Amino acid sequence: MNGKLAPGLIKTGILMAGITALFLVLGFLIAGLAGVLIALGITVGMNAYTYWNSDKLALGWHRARVVTPASAPALHAMIADLSNAADLPMPGVYVIDNDQPNAFATGRDPNHAAVAVTTGLMQMLSEEELAGVMAHELAHIKHRDTLIMTVTATIAGAIAMVAQYAFLFRGRNGVAGFAAALIATFVAPIAAMLIQMMISRTREYAADRAGGEICGNPLWLAAALEKISAAAPQIPMQTAEDHPASAHLFIHNPLTGGGLDNFFSTHPKAENRIAALSRQAEEMRRFDRLASDRAWAAPKSRVQF
């Protein structure tokens, strides 16, 4: 694996351990040592289930439907070309019937991966912009972010669900019990959101850069992000609102709410991502010019008569 990815993967691993530990602490606050053991068993079971079914979970949450080369030839051909450029197997291709422009990738590894795009994304973007988005999603697959992001969404969703019942199932009495339930109810879900945010932001910048390399022009993705970031907050996606823990799977935050949704956004600001992609495009142009200059200045072989 590319050595440049190692620091980000180490950070992601630490954050993954953190969200798992948070679930164990939540179990302790609700039911003491027994709660820890129960939470540990749930975590192991969820991780095992998610490993084998991460693609089915994410696609099912958002009611994605599979499309074939016959039903979506242009989309299939584009993803096939980009997969070849990324040296990846062809993923499954899915469409979500929603007007919000968005997309995500899922799957436990490159051999069991899928990409999903909304109908709104395909209608709004040009062919080049759509290629930039698909290259970004393939970069997530190449970096094996897809399993990490789905496991994180599953655990965070479990934390939020269990926290709702903290007051009913707390195992302590009096002030200490009330304080423990209060922490479990409010602090644990917020902490889970923060960890999700840090994991997603770490992976999004890396996928943007790799996506620019895969499609060959980072400005395609930059132009797509500009359109997506302007339109997505105005168009609701009910499946995302029903499963908010899955928001970080998407290329842009699919939640349309304000306040805490924006404060705890799982994605970097679009303008920061666009600026980074613009810098990458300039770096690529400088490299191409330098390579061209070197080729022009190289000694030409003389024809011998």
Side-chain angles (χ1 to χ4, degrees), residues 129 132 217-227 273-275 277-278:
E129 291 163 350
N217 190 338
L219 296 180
W220 293 354
L221 178 55
L225 286 173
E226 187 171 6
K227 289 183 179 179
R273 298 171 69 181
I274 291 168
L277 287 162
S278 298

Side-chain angles (χ1 to χ4, degrees), residues 34-291:
V36 173
L37 296 176
I38 292 171
L40 180 61
I42 292 173
T43 301
V44 172
M46 282 195 312
N47 285 345
Y49 180 81
T50 303
Y51 178 80
W52 293 107
N53 298 280
S54 59
D55 54 342
K56 298 180 182 66
L57 284 171
L59 295 167
W61 287 337
H62 299 285
R63 301 170 195 164
R65 56 182 174 85
V66 65
V67 292
T68 64
S71 60
L75 181 62
H76 259 270
M78 173 187 291
I79 294 173
D81 289 342
L82 291 169
S83 297
N84 287 333
D87 194 25
L88 286 170
M90 179 71 179
V93 182
Y94 291 76
V95 168
I96 301 169
D97 293 310
N98 189 273
D99 291 335
Q100 184 186 106
N102 229 318
F104 69 84
T106 185
R108 65 180 183 267
D109 58 48
N111 291 313
H112 302 85
V115 293
V117 299
T118 63
T119 50
L121 187 79
M122 292 188 290
Q123 292 166 1
M124 181 174 293
L125 301 188
S126 69
E127 184 178 352
E128 291 80 9
E129 291 163 350
L130 183 59
V133 171
M134 292 296 93
H136 169 97
E137 298 307 332
L138 290 173
H140 276 310
I141 295 171
K142 192 174 183 70
H143 295 171
R144 297 176 183 263
D145 295 337
T146 48
L147 176 62
I148 292 170
M149 293 162 78
T150 306
V151 168
T152 304
T154 303
I155 298 177
I159 288 173
M161 180 184 66
V162 173
Q164 292 177 4
Y165 301 97
F167 272 100
L168 295 177
F169 296 102
R170 64 187 185 275
R172 296 178 175 81
N173 297 318
V175 176
F178 179 81
L182 195 65
I183 292 171
T185 303
F186 297 104
V187 177
I190 291 174
M193 290 170 66
L194 287 171
I195 293 173
Q196 270 191 287
M197 177 184 70
M198 289 185 284
I199 290 174
S200 182
R201 290 187 177 189
T202 298
R203 307 318 305 156
E204 286 303 312
Y205 279 120
D208 282 350
R209 185 168 186 85
E213 294 171 353
I214 291 170
C215 72
N217 190 338
L219 296 180
W220 293 354
L221 178 55
L225 286 173
E226 187 171 6
K227 289 183 179 179
I228 293 169
S229 62
Q234 313 303 321
I235 304 171
M237 180 184 290
Q238 190 57 49
T239 56
E241 303 294 341
D242 293 340
H243 300 279
S246 69
H248 69 324
L249 297 175
F250 287 84
I251 191 169
H252 182 81
N253 187 356
L255 303 176
T256 55
L260 288 179
D261 282 341
N262 290 332
F263 183 76
F264 290 110
S265 175
T266 56
H267 296 68
K269 288 184 178 179
E271 52 264 38
N272 293 340
R273 298 171 69 181
I274 291 168
L277 287 162
S278 298
R279 290 193 297 271
Q280 181 188 2
E282 181 57 33
E283 291 170 8
M284 292 173 69
R285 282 194 294 266
R286 285 200 302 268
F287 178 82
D288 289 342
R289 285 196 298 266
L290 182 60

